[in-house]
Amino acid sequence: MSEQNGLVAPARQVAALEERVETMNERHDKGWALLREDLARLDAELAKCDRNMSIQIYAVAFGTAAAMIGIGGTIIGLPV
């Protein structure tokens, strides 16, 4: 009987540790899930920013080309 009593305390400690490990695993899983959600949201925002930047680059290129054509036309139209 004394051997059984000696094993009860370690068994309880092991059970408590297993419960703590399970709790920590659940917290880590929840953290990973939140991280994945944040990364998905950031990916969507970056895609939106990339689209906006592409539009801006095309607008600047078109404006530059229009300015060059306008200046070239003015130079060609000047009397010699």
Side-chain angles (χ1 to χ4, degrees):
M1 191 78 145
S2 64
E3 288 181 25
Q4 267 187 333
N5 290 339
L7 295 178
V8 170
R12 286 182 184 165
Q13 289 177 344
V14 168
L17 287 174
E18 286 176 347
E19 186 177 336
R20 287 177 60 192
V21 167
E22 187 61 35
T23 302
M24 293 300 288
N25 284 338
E26 290 172 4
R27 288 176 61 193
H28 286 129
D29 291 343
K30 183 179 178 183
W32 281 111
L34 291 173
L35 180 62
R36 280 192 284 280
E37 289 174 14
D38 287 345
L39 288 175
R41 183 179 43 80
L42 288 174
D43 284 344
E45 288 179 15
L46 285 175
K48 185 178 179 181
C49 288
D50 285 346
R51 256 192 324 271
N52 289 341
M53 186 172 290
S54 295
I55 291 170
Q56 291 173 356
I57 290 172
Y58 288 130
V60 168
F62 179 75
T64 303
M68 290 172 61
I69 291 170
I71 292 171
T74 304
I75 291 174
I76 291 173
L78 290 176
V80 178

